[in-house]
């Protein structure tokens, strides 16, 4: 920023020093002068970019903190979101995931380890299909399986699949665990299914997440794969008032 200010100042003084008749500088000439100034001082471009990036980061962080402060119930107590672990647990872990995300499949095992080690944790699943239409189909099928009380089993089967899930493989897995696939397809069109996806998208964006998996524990955000020990540390920090 130090190089930018003198440059702008010198340009302003040069213009104000011109006779009145010379004040009518054409737009083309102004652009030429600006380009000349940039070519002579290329660092000002990088400084301007850095300033904009910093401003964007600060705005994103402010938005995320506002969401954590104002949307706690939507994050942790949405009746349209699946809950695992202890429904009356003292700390809630919110996970955003996509069935076609390999890191989410690994994260599933870490969450299971956390639940095995801590019976006071409740986990809220936010299905966030961001890896294409196949992921959207898998998400809709998983959410629809709640109508047959098979969500957890189906979720684990989808997460345990090898390779990329598509419509055929999702329905094969559904059939393999005994779901009524005709009913499943019908229930996938229920408004609450799309509502869950829309809410996940809104919350994830407002929290500044750009990929899966991503976690929220208390006021802490953890984008990316987090192992069970790290999750436990964040849970304990919330319990300790951190």
């Amino acid at each position: 920023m130090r190089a930018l200010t003198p440059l702008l100042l010198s340009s302003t003084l040069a213009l104000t020093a011109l006779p009145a008749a010379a004040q009518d500088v054409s737009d083309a000439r102004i652009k030429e002068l600006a380009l000349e100034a940039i070519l002579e001082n290329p660092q000002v471009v990088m400084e301007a970019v850095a300033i904009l990036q910093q401003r964007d980061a600060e705005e994103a962080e402010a938005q995320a903190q506002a969401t954590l402060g104002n949307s706690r119930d939507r994050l942790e107590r949405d009746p349209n979101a699946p809950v695992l672990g202890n429904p009356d647990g003292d700390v809630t872990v919110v996970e955003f995931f996509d069935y076609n995300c390999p890191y989410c499949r690994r994260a599933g095992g870490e969450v299971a380890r956390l639940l095995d080690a801590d019976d006071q944790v409740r986990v809220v699943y936010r299905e966030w299909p961001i890896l294409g239409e196949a992921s959207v189909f898998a998400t809709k099928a998983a959410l629809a399986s709640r109508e047959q009380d098979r969500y957890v089993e189906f979720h684990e089967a989808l997460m345990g699949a090898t390779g990329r899930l598509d419509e055929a493989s999702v329905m094969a897995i559904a059939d393999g665990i005994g779901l009524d696939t005709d009913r499943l397809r019908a229930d996938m069109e229920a408004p609450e299914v799309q509502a869950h996806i829309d809410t996940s998208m809104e919350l994830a964006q407002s929290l500044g997440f750009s990929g899966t998996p991503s976690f929220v524990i208390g006021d802490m955000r953890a984008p990316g794969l987090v192992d069970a020990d790290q999750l436990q540390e964040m849970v304990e920090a919330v319990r300790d008032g951190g």
Side-chain angles (χ1 to χ4, degrees):
M1 190 65 181
R2 288 191 299 271
L4 181 60
T5 301
L7 176 63
L8 292 177
L9 179 60
S10 62
S11 299
T12 301
L13 290 173
L15 286 174
T16 55
L18 291 174
Q23 295 288 339
D24 298 327
V25 182
S26 69
D27 289 345
R29 182 55 182 153
I30 291 174
K31 291 177 181 179
E32 288 176 5
L33 291 170
L35 179 58
E36 289 174 6
I38 290 172
L39 291 175
E40 292 175 3
N41 300 271
Q43 73 275 11
V44 302
V45 176
M46 299 304 297
E47 291 176 356
V49 170
I51 291 169
L52 291 174
Q53 290 176 334
Q54 178 65 25
R55 184 181 302 165
D56 288 345
E58 291 172 355
E59 290 176 354
E61 180 62 23
Q63 176 62 59
Q65 292 302 319
T67 298
L68 290 172
N70 302 328
S71 299
R72 181 69 60 186
D73 283 347
R74 294 183 71 203
L75 273 169
E76 298 183 351
R77 302 292 170 180
D78 181 1
N80 194 27
V83 175
L84 279 71
N86 184 345
D88 300 316
D90 61 345
V91 177
T92 297
V93 174
V94 182
E95 180 188 3
F96 292 78
F97 67 90
D98 183 305
Y99 286 111
N100 275 318
C101 165
Y103 296 104
C104 295
R105 294 176 181 178
R106 290 171 57 186
E110 300 303 318
V111 171
R113 283 179 54 202
L114 173 68
L115 292 177
D116 287 342
D118 193 326
D119 62 6
Q120 289 302 309
V121 170
R122 65 191 294 271
V123 174
V124 172
Y125 277 158
R126 292 253 44 121
E127 305 234 5
W128 187 29
I130 57 174
L131 298 177
E133 288 303 314
S135 292
V136 173
F137 186 91
T139 285
K140 287 184 174 181
L143 292 170
S145 71
R146 295 180 295 180
E147 295 300 317
Q148 299 182 51
D149 295 322
R150 304 293 292 279
Y151 175 83
V152 174
E153 184 180 359
F154 192 29
H155 167 83
E156 291 177 351
L158 292 173
M159 280 297 184
T162 57
R164 183 171 175 80
L165 291 169
D166 56 18
E167 180 175 346
S169 57
V170 167
M171 296 312 291
I173 292 171
D175 184 64
I177 67 170
L179 281 166
D180 180 335
T181 55
D182 289 335
R183 180 183 175 188
L184 187 70
R185 285 186 181 276
D187 290 336
M188 286 171 64
E189 303 307 316
E192 57 266 26
V193 169
Q194 187 60 50
H196 177 98
I197 296 172
D198 292 343
T199 299
S200 294
M201 181 65 72
E202 179 186 343
L203 288 171
Q205 290 178 340
S206 65
L207 288 165
F209 293 146
S210 59
T212 55
S214 290
F215 296 87
V216 177
I217 305 177
D219 289 333
M220 293 174 285
R221 290 167 291 146
L225 178 62
V226 182
D227 66 29
D229 292 338
Q230 293 171 308
L231 291 172
Q232 187 72 68
E233 289 176 5
M234 288 188 282
V235 166
E236 294 300 335
V238 173
R239 287 189 176 127
D240 294 338

